[in-house]
Amino acid sequence: MSYYDKHVFFCTNDRGAGADRPSCARCGSVELRDYAKKRIKQLDMAGQGKIRVNSAGCLDRCEEGPTMVVYPEGVWYTYIDEMDVDEIIDSHLLGGKIVERLKI
Amino acid sequence: MSYYDKHVFFCTNDRGAGADRPSCARCGSVELRDYAKKRIKQLDMAGQGKIRVNSAGCLDRCEEGPTMVVYPEGVWYTYIDEMDVDEIIDSHLLGGKIVERLKI
């Protein structure tokens, strides 16, 4: 069994303004990572055997971002706001049901 | 199939000197992440369908660190030098054989 049941990585890479590729931190990924982390803690679902929300460097799917990936299942998502993140948490992380509309 | 065949996350968290918990960046994780990334590129094994070496924030196994995790299999390692990283690359990432002596 995995150390974490669900290990979620939010790309928080920031290429700066005017870069030639988009970057997730320019699309609110840091704030939404914080939001997800806080919600998982409030739900008492953080920790070993449960869920871990992590920051990651560039996941190299910049044009499809902001991106996150959920392991061990290897499901990738994009999201734009707290409602999207809530749906990923409620449906996938807690309920085990992939959110097809946000998959990349 | 996963977007990456092996997705490797090196914790590169730095709590600073004198913190009450150890942190991976204080144990050379940034340099060894760079080393791994460079070797995977030189081997032409970087990219979609192959291997991705990533930085990550705190993976919360600080006392066992420096830590890395390989997904989708969810195998965790510690390492101390380039020889350890080479063994993980050659045996596990390229050969599919877990390095038992470095597992945590």
Side-chain angles (χ1 to χ4, degrees), chain B residues 59-73:
Chain B
L59 299 173
D60 207 21
R61 299 184 71 173
C62 314
E63 288 70 19
E64 299 168 275
T67 63
M68 72 163 80
V69 58
V70 182
Y71 281 112
E73 50 267 66

Side-chain angles (χ1 to χ4, degrees), chain B residues 37-55:
Chain B
K37 207 170 173 76
K38 194 174 159 187
R39 247 208 94 201
I40 295 298
K41 276 192 183 165
Q42 284 170 341
L43 291 163
D44 195 26
M45 286 301 294
Q48 187 176 355
K50 297 191 281 186
I51 299 167
R52 175 79 182 171
V53 176
N54 255 111
S55 303

Side-chain angles (χ1 to χ4, degrees), chain B residues 47 70 75 77:
Chain B
V70 182
V75 172
Y77 291 115

Side-chain angles (χ1 to χ4, degrees), chain A residues 85-98:
Chain A
V85 171
D86 279 338
E87 188 171 345
I88 293 164
I89 291 173
D90 295 333
S91 176
H92 184 163
L93 303 185
L94 304 178
K97 190 174 183 304
I98 290 171

Side-chain angles (χ1 to χ4, degrees), chain A residues 8-26:
Chain A
V8 185
F9 295 89
F10 280 73
C11 173
T12 57
N13 190 42
D14 190 343
R15 295 185 194 278
D20 58 353
R21 292 183 77 186
S23 56
C24 297
R26 298 263 144 187

Side-chain angles (χ1 to χ4, degrees), chain B:
Chain B
M1 189 185 158
S2 274
Y3 187 83
Y4 298 118
D5 181 49
K6 309 276 183 208
H7 201 165
V8 185
F9 294 90
F10 280 73
C11 172
T12 56
N13 190 43
D14 189 344
R15 294 185 194 279
D20 58 353
R21 292 183 77 186
S23 56
C24 297
R26 298 263 144 187
C27 307
S29 71
V30 175
E31 295 77 8
L32 287 165
R33 184 260 342 250
D34 289 345
Y35 174 77
K37 207 170 173 76
K38 194 174 159 187
R39 247 208 94 201
I40 295 298
K41 276 192 183 165
Q42 284 170 341
L43 291 163
D44 195 26
M45 286 301 294
Q48 187 176 355
K50 297 191 281 186
I51 299 167
R52 175 79 182 171
V53 176
N54 255 111
S55 303
C58 176
L59 299 173
D60 207 21
R61 299 184 71 173
C62 314
E63 288 70 19
E64 299 168 275
T67 63
M68 72 163 80
V69 58
V70 182
Y71 281 112
E73 50 267 66
V75 172
W76 291 72
Y77 291 115
T78 190
Y79 54 88
I80 58 166
D81 54 23
E82 293 182 359
M83 280 179 60
D84 288 346
V85 171
D86 279 338
E87 189 171 345
I88 293 165
I89 290 173
D90 296 334
S91 176
H92 184 162
L93 303 186
L94 303 178
K97 190 174 181 305
I98 290 171
V99 183
E100 295 294 339
R101 73 173 188 89
L102 297 174
K103 263 183 81 175
I104 56 172

